[in-house]
Amino acid sequence: MSLNETHDPALRSWVASANVAGTDFPLQNLPFAVFRRRGAGEAWRGGVAIGDQVLDLAAVVASGILDGEAATAAQAGAQEKLNALMAMGPAAWSALRLALSRALREGAAEQDALQACLVPQAEAEYDVPARIGDYTDFYTSVHHATNIGRLFRPDNPLLPNYKWVPIGYHGRASSIGISGQSFRRPLGQTLPPGATQPAFGPCKRLDIELELGIFVGPGNAQGEPVPIAEAEDHVFGICLFNDWSARDIQAWEYQPLGPFLSKSFASTISPWVVTLEALAPYRVPFERPEGDPQPLPYLDSEANRREGALDIQLQVDLLTPRLRESGAAAATICRTSYRHSYWTVAQMVAHHTVNGCNLQPGDLFGSGTLSGPTLDQAGALIELTAGGKQPLQLANGETRTFLEDGDSVVIRGWCEKPGAARIGFGECAGTVLPAVAAGA
Amino acid sequence: MSLNETHDPALRSWVASANVAGTDFPLQNLPFAVFRRRGAGEAWRGGVAIGDQVLDLAAVVASGILDGEAATAAQAGAQEKLNALMAMGPAAWSALRLALSRALREGAAEQDALQACLVPQAEAEYDVPARIGDYTDFYTSVHHATNIGRLFRPDNPLLPNYKWVPIGYHGRASSIGISGQSFRRPLGQTLPPGATQPAFGPCKRLDIELELGIFVGPGNAQGEPVPIAEAEDHVFGICLFNDWSARDIQAWEYQPLGPFLSKSFASTISPWVVTLEALAPYRVPFERPEGDPQPLPYLDSEANRREGALDIQLQVDLLTPRLRESGAAAATICRTSYRHSYWTVAQMVAHHTVNGCNLQPGDLFGSGTLSGPTLDQAGALIELTAGGKQPLQLANGETRTFLEDGDSVVIRGWCEKPGAARIGFGECAGTVLPAVAAGA
């Protein structure tokens, strides 16, 4: 994907907050969300982030400043979910982003008309941006697969299929919520250490999974695989994703058919979906370590090798009730990058459809936990604490192995480098509530 | 669930074909589907089977013969998907079935009005009856789990969690199609016997899975488990289900996160959804074999023990291209009953929600392959042929291990016993097409 005028780092917006160093949402980003003013009884509709504002796409459509493909795309994006916009494809998304980029630039003739279409992010609330038909979770970090494989299967950490198959499994779509979500600690069956019969009660090993979420754009017909060369045309964009996991429930239930109730109680996504176009300056080569097998032909392309990976910086912060009450900052427990992924977004699409499976607009992929090469780059507490054996030490003297009631976790993501605008993802936050009284 | 007047086996309908011995759709059944006249450009809408006819719910609503809760339920059922009807709950479904049962009886005053609402099934086509938000496949046959476990893990056929956990996993909703579906043989990675590197190409071990599909009625809020005593109030009804499976792809991909592309290329459901109310005469006790653990309290209730299981007869027929061309009958390759299931429908609901996972109207559960206690009652070719080692011998001299291109598989289900009306499910048919040319 080549760069175009929307990527020019010198561009400035008449929305002053979009020009502030360190903003997630400069003029070069323009990510999409579904929003409304909090507490105002408004309808949900699509919006675009610019600085500390949301550009209301329904209001933009009503303003009449857009025409042609951009206007059609904005109409699709003004609905209560973004599925129709996602279904339109890269040319439409690109036309809309270009028109908005031009209209939001310093000196644009549209400034007066668009000023009235801005809603402060401080007054906004967000919804899950699409009707997610199917959610698929991948397992694209070889470091996570090795770390967690060692804990679940000490003799056999990385299975023989890992370097050939972009492993994925179907997940639960209904319980995916938007950043800000609070959820009850799940109840379930676990096998206590040394026991021969399971116990029932609240999860004792509640964990995070630092992931990216990938929204599908145009789908494919059942029976018609998407070639890897066309795979990215089926990707609308990327958000942050926390796939909360109950490790003790998972360990007891997951054989032979995979994780089920250990994951389906809640997953949290960030509201803003950043397009692949906005991320183009942060493409990096996709490289296999020396000696690893090359991908099979259906998972391989010159473009994928040249620029299939993305250098997205990721950070996980933990805010305990004590930190919150004392007004202290959250503790950063992980920093890593998506560039370490063993499989690319294009490979996920090509693999998912190679059997004829039909993707639909608004389907969601999870990247799988994005642990980096060193243990402090691990995206889950089970890795960061060596299976709960080495508690994290927080600056205020607290320790954590797994999550406690009242803990909040915030994932942040951004791209940054000299000569390109910073592209941010905002945040993905969620909070653990106590379990319901166990009925059994 | 107690019997009521709709179950009276002496009831006869003014639709003569509903009174014929052996019909799947007597007056006591009244299952729901989504249908339209084939090739007539009509809208999809809900219908109810009676004999060899479909009672068009949109036409029934327009006729004005219903009032009160039955009329409201019929309106919900007249939409292009049944989700709204499913969301209404057992009292509404029961009111509608009672009103239709009375109006379709011999001598009913409504005969003239309803006569115009009938469409011959011979002229109808069907659609998937609900927008399936999430599809979950269970694994409720201990015989299947043992048979297939022996093939995939000879040392360890039945895992220690099986008798405690109603094992399930998330499946792919987008590729579920209606009876009559044809689908391409999937492409994928497999590990040939003795090889150290995978091969890519068409599946060589394409299989069926004889299952029942269970449609969720009213959902539950996230974080609020459904107690087993209320579980069946969340079940709209049951249909036939064939979860086509690519065994060679499955064997290579399924560790550690479960089946993925080996299942997601196609699954087929029957059009007619039979309500739990219609099945009430066929309830049987749910019994654990001597020495097996009793279910944990959240999976146990007096009602579930007394009548939690259902005696639904099941049959799988195979029609090869040679059989089809010669005009010969399909070969029956399996007969079994759902009564052998190790976990009940109520237990599936209670387990699925115990962690707070929210079910939604129109969600689908698969029962998992319903193999009975003996090998000829196995619901998958991999079991019937001992992993492909003992081919099935068909009457025309053909043999089969796994499915060949052009093969059709038809699942049928029914309940029958003295003193009760026969309750049938119709059929669930699908056909294998050749793979697309492998691109790799």
Side-chain angles (χ1 to χ4, degrees), chain A residues 172 174 189 261 355 358 363, chain B residues 164 172 174 261 355 358 363:
Chain A
R172 181 82 194 174
S174 73
Q189 289 190 35
L261 299 189
N355 69 341
N358 53 325
D363 285 351
Chain B
W164 298 96
R172 181 81 194 175
S174 73
L261 300 188
N355 69 341
N358 52 323
D363 284 351

Side-chain angles (χ1 to χ4, degrees), chain B residues 299-313:
Chain B
L299 296 171
D300 192 27
S301 76
E302 191 280 328
N304 191 61
R305 269 172 270 141
R306 189 180 67 242
E307 55 171 18
L310 290 162
D311 189 16
I312 302 172
Q313 309 298 315

